[in-house]
Amino acid sequence: MAIVNKDPKELISFGSVKKSFRVGTGDVPVLKGIDISIKNGDFVVIIGPSGSGKSTVLHTLLGLEPPTEGDVSFLGFDLYDLDQDDRAEFRRKNVGIIYQQSYWVKSLNVMENVSVPLLLNGVSEEIARDKALESLEKVGMLNWAEYVPTELSAGQQQKVGLARALITNPLVLVADEPTGNLDSLSGDILMKMLQELNTIHHKTIIMVTHDLQYIPYSTRALVMKDGIIEQSVTKGQPEWKDLTLLKSKK
Amino acid sequence: MEGLNLTKIKKIMTRQEHLKKIIKVPTYIKEVVSFILNSMLFFILLNIYFLPIIFFHILHFFHINFSFVNKLEKRVDIIAHSIVNKYSTPGAISRWQLIKLASRSMSTRKNRTFITVFGVAIGIGAVVFLLSIGYGAETLVKNRVATLDQVKQTNIYTNDQTKLPINDKLLTGFKSLEGVEDVQPIASIVGKVEYNNSNVDVVVLATSNGYLENSDIKLKSGTFFTSEQDWSKEYDNADIASYLNDQKVNAPIVSSTTDSVNVSDQKVLGISDSTTAKSDSTTTETSPIPEEVKNLSSQLGLESAEVYQLLPELSNTVTKDVVINFLSAETLNEAVVSEGFLTATGMDKISSDPVGKEFNVQFTLIGGLIPQLGTQKVLSSQSSYKIIGIIPGSNPLLYIPLQDLKTLGIKNYSEARIIANKDNDIPSIRKAIEGRGYLTQSVQDTLDRIQTLFSGVRVSLLLLGILALSVASLGMFNTLTVSLLERTHEVGLLKAMGMKSTEVKKVFLSESLILGFFGGVVGLILGYLLGYILNMILSFFL
């Protein structure tokens, strides 16, 4: 594991990452040279139209999709120097994930589903249960602990998903279009929660969305188009205002 | 620094390659072996997981909720937890949770799980049931053919009483063979029974004590021989001795049709019969084949049997009206008779319980039993016998004590039965006997044939069972495939949350093992119950 970390505050870095998928006989380039540096405490939103490569960036970052070219480092580790199982272990120790569509272990109830990440880390059942209840309380879903997740509304499911992502107290929270299936009210509630996590608990959050209206909750926005990062704007920069105004144009 | 490490690593790698070349263990074998070992371990852990749960479920079902039961449950739970989790890697999901995850996801799809388990159970039940039919039928047939005692027995025969006689000397020798428990001779002759002015010829079997007891003959009424008898005791019967002596003195030496035959040996017993006067036979004490036949066979270059075929008059027998008296002080005069005997003599019509009834009988003695008689037959004096036991069977049979016949001067027996200590001793005993030229017959020959027959039957039944089992396993395969496809998202989720591929494999392996485990258990019970029911039905009708 080569140590390439220079900036101690740097958490994740992409060094000219390229990724292409083989479709039929030809290669389809999806990422055409991406450089990203995410620091501890950032709330990064990756936005862009469908097919721009946002989700591929996220999967590459999670260690699920090896790049064709370039380096991905996470906490100073070259992620793809590790084998698949080590990446899995790395992921479950450091990353919490929320998906657009919440997936559940259907045979388990809300509380048990939330405790799964801890159980995967070898934590005993009793401790995992207590932590799960604690985590559910944080997102205000304690009363639904005994329900089966699929019985809940989409907004409630995302809250439970957030509780599950937070239970291991991960360094980084990764969200893949978490508001995609929600109405605007539920979306706002979730985004406020994420913002709180970032500002109060200093969680690093990386969120992919195509919804510009959620940019104001973040601290930085990466605009992707056709496999490259077109624009990288930090909160407070003059372009920030333009970006947040884009939503009214749309 | 890095360069140095690289060369080191390379060195180690080439060494390992070299080692791999020397020890050629294909990786797939290693994988298969480790897979089997892992599955076995998993199976044991699965037992530890499920058995206490099932046990306490049953207790709770019957409302057995004493405080000590609850305490015990907690203790057992802790112990089971620690055993099952002993083999899980720290920092990763515990095996207990893996099994729990698997069993939970199965319990949410109850119908499918139940049907799959039932399919496996039918497959395994079919194998168990069919195999038990095979074994059961074999045991049934074997028990019909032979009792346990009979398996330890072998019968000795001879096809040449003159050359290879079955006599006391031989049997005493056999009795000292290793593994031999007892030797029981039997002499079979013809008897003329006289009862209520009717005469019937019956087969008479003279046996020692214990012979009837060791056969699978059941008494209908009365008893077997009760009086002590010693078959190996020698009796001198003056009648037979003087008769044989008379024959020796009076006998003119008879030449056969071929004049060139020289018979000059003093030992030759030439026996001529004036009343029939058409046949001559000679016997020597030392050689069982008559000198005449011997000479003829050497001249013509034929076997003695072929000489007999050419000149049948040489083997013709002569009946003499000489009566040999019993040594009445030594005879027991007890008789065990068959039902057929009672019908033949008409005794059954006269008395409803013929035990205790008496009848007269006269025996015909032949050369096979008294060597010096050669091909002649002599009659015994008529003697009265008392029926002490009746056995089933429609053939007219009369069993008398061997001692009675021995007082008439018989030296040889028709056959003998050898009883071994263990049935395993029989083959070696038979080998020893056959090595001396005697023939043996044992119920084990039949049993061996039955076993060969049934092993064929078993294989075909097993194939049928395996067919059922393979259909069941295809069903199980199908269930697991569907379950896997259905849970692609779930697997993806678990992997994204950091579950390793091996752990995912373990979850599905647990599911298949649980299915197989319960299928196996239910199948065993099913097969056993079916076998039990069939057994009950059969024992009702057979």
Side-chain angles (χ1 to χ4, degrees):
Chain A
M1 275 173 261
I3 295 165
V4 288
N5 196 0
K6 285 148 206 154
D7 187 344
K9 275 196 95 181
E10 188 175 57
L11 211 61
I12 296 157
S13 83
F14 273 46
S16 40
V17 167
K18 287 183 185 170
K19 173 78 190 176
S20 49
F21 288 105
R22 183 163 272 274
V23 178
T25 48
D27 284 335
V28 179
V30 181
L31 302 182
K32 300 166 181 170
I34 304 269
D35 291 280
I36 310 173
S37 171
I38 296 168
K39 290 184 179 60
N40 203 358
D42 278 356
F43 185 165
V44 179
V45 172
I46 302 172
I47 51 169
S50 296
S52 60
K54 322 180 287 286
S55 290
T56 311
V57 166
L58 213 59
H59 291 155
T60 309
L61 179 148
L62 286 169
L64 295 169
E65 205 78 79
T68 324
E69 262 179 58
D71 302 313
V72 179
S73 94
F74 203 125
L75 277 174
F77 293 106
D78 191 338
L79 202 56
Y80 291 94
D81 264 4
L82 307 171
D83 67 18
Q84 207 183 340
D85 279 348
D86 286 338
R87 289 206 295 276
E89 199 178 329
F90 193 85
R91 193 162 53 237
R92 74 168 181 237
K93 290 226 160 78
N94 300 305
V95 187
I97 311 166
I98 315 170
Y99 306 87
Q100 173 179 12
Q101 168 120 45
S102 295
Y103 296 120
W104 308 105
V105 179
K106 291 193 186 82
S107 53
L108 306 180
N109 66 23
V110 166
M111 185 269 292
E112 285 162 334
N113 261 292
V114 172
S115 68
V116 166
L118 279 184
L119 294 176
L120 288 178
N121 277 328
V123 174
S124 78
E125 209 179 331
E126 292 75 26
I127 298 171
R129 188 176 50 224
D130 293 346
K131 287 255 171 125
L133 293 175
E134 215 173 276
S135 194
L136 278 172
E137 198 178 9
K138 273 185 202 159
V139 295
M141 290 296 292
L142 191 60
N143 293 337
W144 306 87
E146 299 297 325
Y147 281 69
V148 173
T150 45
E151 290 171 346
L152 305 180
S153 75
Q156 286 171 320
Q157 283 191 39
Q158 281 305 53
K159 282 186 196 168
V160 177
L162 181 61
R164 180 174 65 186
L166 292 173
I167 193 167
T168 52
N169 194 22
L171 272 171
V172 184
L173 193 64
V174 172
D176 189 1
E177 308 222 21
T179 55
N181 275 5
L182 304 183
D183 58 280
S184 60
L185 184 66
S186 309
D188 279 335
I189 293 167
L190 188 74
M191 286 313 291
K192 272 190 187 123
M193 278 182 176
L194 289 178
Q195 194 179 29
E196 234 173 74
L197 278 168
N198 178 245
T199 52
I200 299 168
H201 302 285
H202 307 293
K203 277 261 171 317
T204 310
I205 299 168
I206 301 159
M207 178 178 133
V208 163
T209 182
H210 59 259
D211 213 337
L212 297 169
Q213 63 169 328
Y214 299 122
I215 291 175
Y217 295 102
S218 69
T219 59
R220 211 169 123 210
L222 302 173
V223 184
M224 278 193 75
K225 199 181 177 187
D226 295 332
I228 52 162
I229 292 174
E230 209 179 43
Q231 216 181 348
S232 172
V233 189
T234 314
K235 201 174 193 171
Q237 282 183 328
E239 294 94 330
W240 185 259
K241 214 162 199 180
D242 300 340
L243 209 58
T244 47
L245 282 174
L246 275 175
K247 63 170 183 182
S248 48
K249 274 191 226 161
K250 258 197 170 176
Chain B
M1 194 67 179
E2 235 179 63
L4 191 77
N5 279 342
L6 259 175
T7 48
K8 251 190 186 173
I9 289 164
K10 268 183 189 168
K11 256 189 190 173
I12 291 165
M13 278 176 75
T14 48
R15 212 179 290 159
Q16 278 180 345
E17 288 294 310
H18 190 63
L19 268 174
K20 270 182 194 165
K21 272 177 196 164
I22 295 168
I23 313 158
K24 274 182 191 163
V25 181
T27 45
Y28 66 89
I29 289 181
K30 278 187 202 166
E31 276 170 21
V32 167
V33 168
S34 79
F35 177 77
I36 290 170
L37 288 177
N38 269 323
S39 303
M40 280 164 74
L41 174 71
F42 215 126
F43 179 75
I44 294 164
L45 296 180
L46 219 56
N47 276 298
I48 297 169
Y49 180 95
F50 275 108
L51 291 180
I53 292 177
I54 293 168
F55 176 71
F56 286 109
H57 255 80
I58 292 168
L59 283 189
H60 293 314
F61 182 79
F62 290 108
H63 303 287
I64 301 167
N65 287 322
F66 307 119
S67 64
F68 84 90
V69 170
N70 294 330
K71 265 183 201 165
L72 186 73
E73 187 177 358
K74 270 175 197 153
R75 266 314 268 278
V76 169
D77 191 54
I78 290 165
I79 294 166
H81 254 86
S82 66
I83 294 171
V84 172
N85 286 339
K86 196 164 191 166
Y87 297 97
S88 41
T89 24
I93 184 162
S94 65
R95 210 181 274 260
W96 186 275
Q97 290 301 330
L98 282 178
I99 297 172
K100 195 172 177 182
L101 211 59
S103 61
R104 278 293 285 273
S105 79
M106 286 170 76
S107 64
T108 49
R109 297 165 184 84
K110 277 198 184 74
N111 283 340
R112 197 166 67 196
T113 309
F114 178 76
I115 288 165
T116 315
V117 166
F118 200 65
V120 175
I122 286 174
I124 288 173
V127 170
V128 171
F129 178 59
L130 291 175
L131 269 184
S132 50
I133 283 185
Y135 278 107
E138 189 183 334
T139 320
L140 185 83
V141 171
K142 275 185 173 176
N143 285 344
R144 293 261 155 145
V145 169
T147 58
L148 264 175
D149 284 337
Q150 280 177 309
V151 180
K152 293 196 291 185
Q153 298 170 359
T154 182
N155 286 351
I156 310 172
Y157 302 91
T158 178
N159 51 16
D160 192 351
Q161 272 287 17
T162 43
K163 228 179 186 177
L164 297 166
I166 299 173
N167 52 26
D168 290 338
K169 202 181 150 200
L170 181 86
L171 294 184
T172 322
F174 285 158
K175 201 168 180 179
S176 60
L177 280 175
E178 205 186 310
V180 175
E181 190 185 284
D182 199 10
V183 177
Q184 293 165 344
I186 182 163
S188 55
I189 48 170
V190 176
K192 199 184 277 290
V193 175
E194 193 193 291
Y195 180 75
N196 210 18
N197 298 327
S198 70
N199 278 308
V200 190
D201 281 337
V202 295
V203 176
V204 181
L205 296 162
T207 66
S208 59
N209 277 3
Y211 185 94
L212 285 167
E213 281 88 334
N214 280 306
S215 310
D216 61 344
I217 298 169
K218 303 263 180 311
L219 263 178
K220 273 204 83 177
S221 63
T223 58
F224 289 135
F225 300 131
T226 46
S227 314
E228 279 292 316
Q229 54 166 327
D230 180 12
W231 55 263
S232 57
K233 192 175 164 189
E234 288 282 340
Y235 296 91
D236 292 318
N237 188 305
D239 289 348
I240 191 86
S242 72
Y243 168 71
L244 289 171
N245 205 32
D246 281 358
Q247 291 298 314
K248 205 173 177 178
V249 173
N250 298 335
I253 293 161
V254 178
S255 60
S256 88
T257 45
T258 35
D259 290 330
S260 56
V261 174
N262 294 318
V263 186
S264 55
D265 198 323
Q266 282 300 310
K267 285 179 193 163
V268 172
L269 280 171
I271 298 165
S272 148
D273 185 74
S274 53
T275 52
T276 45
K278 67 173 187 182
S279 114
D280 317 297
S281 63
T282 53
T283 312
T284 65
E285 284 170 349
T286 48
S287 165
I289 299 174
E291 281 294 328
E292 255 184 308
V293 179
K294 254 190 173 178
N295 292 333
L296 267 176
S297 65
S298 69
Q299 273 172 20
L300 301 169
L302 295 169
E303 295 286 317
S304 53
E306 287 169 316
V307 175
Y308 280 123
Q309 265 181 356
L310 275 173
L311 302 162
E313 63 268 25
L314 284 178
S315 60
N316 272 2
T317 54
V318 182
T319 311
K320 295 286 283 183
D321 288 328
V322 175
V323 171
I324 313 291
N325 286 308
F326 286 94
L327 300 181
S328 51
E330 306 275 2
T331 53
L332 302 166
N333 293 61
E334 291 173 338
V336 173
V337 298
S338 67
E339 288 177 309
F341 178 91
L342 299 176
T343 329
T345 53
M347 255 183 225
D348 55 341
K349 291 192 186 85
I350 291 165
S351 165
S352 59
D353 184 23
V355 175
K357 289 275 178 300
E358 293 194 3
F359 59 89
N360 288 324
V361 65
Q362 190 176 24
F363 304 114
T364 310
L365 301 172
I366 51 165
L369 302 178
I370 302 168
Q372 293 91 331
L373 271 182
T375 48
Q376 295 179 86
K377 292 175 181 170
V378 287
L379 292 174
S380 74
S381 60
Q382 204 171 54
S383 176
S384 172
Y385 271 82
K386 188 178 170 188
I387 297 173
I388 59 162
I390 292 161
I391 58 168
S394 55
N395 291 328
L397 283 178
L398 167 60
Y399 285 90
I400 59 162
L402 187 59
Q403 188 174 316
D404 291 14
L405 221 50
K406 286 207 85 175
T407 65
L408 289 172
I410 72 155
K411 298 280 182 277
N412 291 354
Y413 306 111
S414 313
E415 55 184 88
R417 173 190 287 162
I418 286 193
I419 298 168
N421 291 324
K422 299 190 294 290
D423 53 348
N424 296 347
D425 292 332
I426 287 291
S428 64
I429 293 168
R430 290 181 72 184
K431 220 177 208 172
I433 293 166
E434 279 164 8
R436 305 225 0 214
Y438 291 89
L439 303 172
T440 64
Q441 192 210 26
S442 166
V443 76
Q444 276 191 343
D445 296 338
T446 321
L447 293 183
D448 286 346
R449 273 197 291 279
I450 290 170
Q451 194 150 9
T452 321
L453 178 78
F454 270 99
S455 62
V457 172
R458 265 208 305 277
V459 166
S460 39
L461 287 176
L462 187 68
L463 283 178
L464 255 165
I466 286 172
L467 198 74
L469 196 63
S470 48
V471 171
S473 53
L474 282 179
M476 190 165 134
F477 177 75
N478 180 50
T479 306
L480 287 169
T481 311
V482 170
S483 159
L484 184 66
L485 289 176
E486 209 174 53
R487 289 196 285 161
T488 318
H489 287 309
E490 205 173 300
V491 172
L493 168 80
L494 289 168
K495 283 191 99 167
M497 286 196 299
M499 191 182 251
K500 290 178 186 172
S501 305
T502 51
E503 289 165 346
V504 176
K505 261 188 215 164
K506 274 178 191 166
V507 173
F508 284 89
L509 185 68
S510 305
E511 280 191 32
S512 52
L513 276 172
I514 292 166
L515 285 176
F517 176 67
F518 284 105
V521 170
V522 175
L524 278 177
I525 295 169
L526 208 69
Y528 181 80
L529 280 180
L530 279 175
Y532 190 76
I533 291 167
L534 187 78
N535 186 20
M536 289 224 300
I537 293 168
L538 283 183
S539 57
F540 188 74
F541 286 109
L542 291 177

